[in-house]
């Protein structure tokens, strides 16, 4: 059975799942980043909890937290409406291939429709074929005209 829960930042089980899932993703070839140490994990939890538009949604399989998304509510000045930016999509390796990532994104689409948002956005690595196929199956496409995601590290 698949179910969903928003992260309760007062629930130690949720906080352990949040940091554990994020480290799982960071260590994955698609994350390509060293895991967070304990101090960084505490800072992450505090920062997300204090961020006014951060949302963490867990997907549970048979009551076990199997994955999550980290999203931020943004605002479209052109559409005069809010939209959801999906920052992280994570499913534990042992739960992959069971449709949980698709269920997570579909749930976010449903939530966004219920809230009256104008769109959902996300970024995906060019070499992450599995994620790209998943997102395309749920209606995500390149923007027209095509946009670039640029970064300036500080």
């Amino acid at each position: 059975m698949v179910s969903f829960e928003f992260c309760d930042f007062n629930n130690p089980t949720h906080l352990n799942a949040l940091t554990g899932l994020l480290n799982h993703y960071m260590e994955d070839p698609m994350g390509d980043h060293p895991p967070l140490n304990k101090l960084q994990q505490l800072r992450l939890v505090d920062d997300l909890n204090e961020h006014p538009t951060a949302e963490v949604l867990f997907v549970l399989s048979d009551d076990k937290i199997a994955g999550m998304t980290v999203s931020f509510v943004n605002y479209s000045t052109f559409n005069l409406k809010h939209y959801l930016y999906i920052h992280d999509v994570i499913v534990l390796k042992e739960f992959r291939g069971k449709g949980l990532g698709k269920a997570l994104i579909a749930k976010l689409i449903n939530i966004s429709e219920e809230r009256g948002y104008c769109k959902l956005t996300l970024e995906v690595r060019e070499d992450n074929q599995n994620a790209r196929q998943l997102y395309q199956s749920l209606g995500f496409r390149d923007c027209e005209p095509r946009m670039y995601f640029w970064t300036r590290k500080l």
Side-chain angles (χ1 to χ4, degrees):
M1 183 177 131
V2 175
S3 59
F4 304 92
E5 291 179 15
F6 278 104
C7 182
D8 175 355
F9 285 91
N10 294 309
N11 180 333
T13 300
H14 282 187
L15 301 183
N16 286 332
L18 188 163
T19 56
L21 282 159
L22 192 60
N23 275 344
H24 182 80
Y25 178 39
M26 292 171 126
E27 293 179 300
D28 188 89
M30 288 302 132
D32 192 28
H33 195 279
L36 300 175
N37 63 40
K38 286 293 183 192
L39 185 60
Q40 291 169 319
Q41 291 175 30
L42 291 171
R43 180 174 177 194
L44 169 73
V45 166
D46 286 344
D47 287 351
L48 285 176
N49 186 35
E50 291 176 8
H51 194 287
T53 70
E55 297 183 349
V56 177
L57 180 66
F58 294 115
V59 63
L60 291 80
S61 178
D62 296 322
D63 296 322
K64 180 176 180 253
I65 294 175
M68 74 174 183
T69 58
V70 177
S71 303
F72 299 90
V73 178
N74 284 321
Y75 187 79
S76 170
T77 56
F78 286 19
N79 293 301
L80 308 178
K81 289 186 175 185
H82 289 92
Y83 69 93
L84 193 67
Y85 169 67
I86 304 168
H87 190 268
D88 298 307
V89 179
I90 305 161
V91 175
L92 291 171
K93 283 184 184 177
E94 64 260 31
F95 290 97
R96 291 181 188 166
K98 299 179 181 193
L100 297 179
K102 188 171 189 169
L104 264 170
I105 301 299
K107 182 69 173 176
L108 291 177
I109 292 169
N110 180 262
I111 289 168
S112 296
E113 289 172 341
E114 288 174 357
R115 292 177 178 175
Y117 293 173
C118 63
K119 64 182 175 179
L120 294 91
T121 62
L122 53 79
E123 62 191 71
V124 61
R125 283 175 47 152
E126 186 176 30
D127 62 342
N128 192 341
Q129 290 299 321
N130 290 337
R132 289 176 60 193
Q133 288 173 355
L134 166 66
Y135 302 147
Q136 288 173 343
S137 76
L138 289 163
F140 287 85
R141 301 287 183 264
D142 281 332
C143 299
E144 291 295 331
R146 193 169 191 179
M147 303 287 190
Y148 293 96
F149 181 79
W150 287 21
T151 299
R152 178 181 172 196
K153 293 189 178 186
L154 302 174

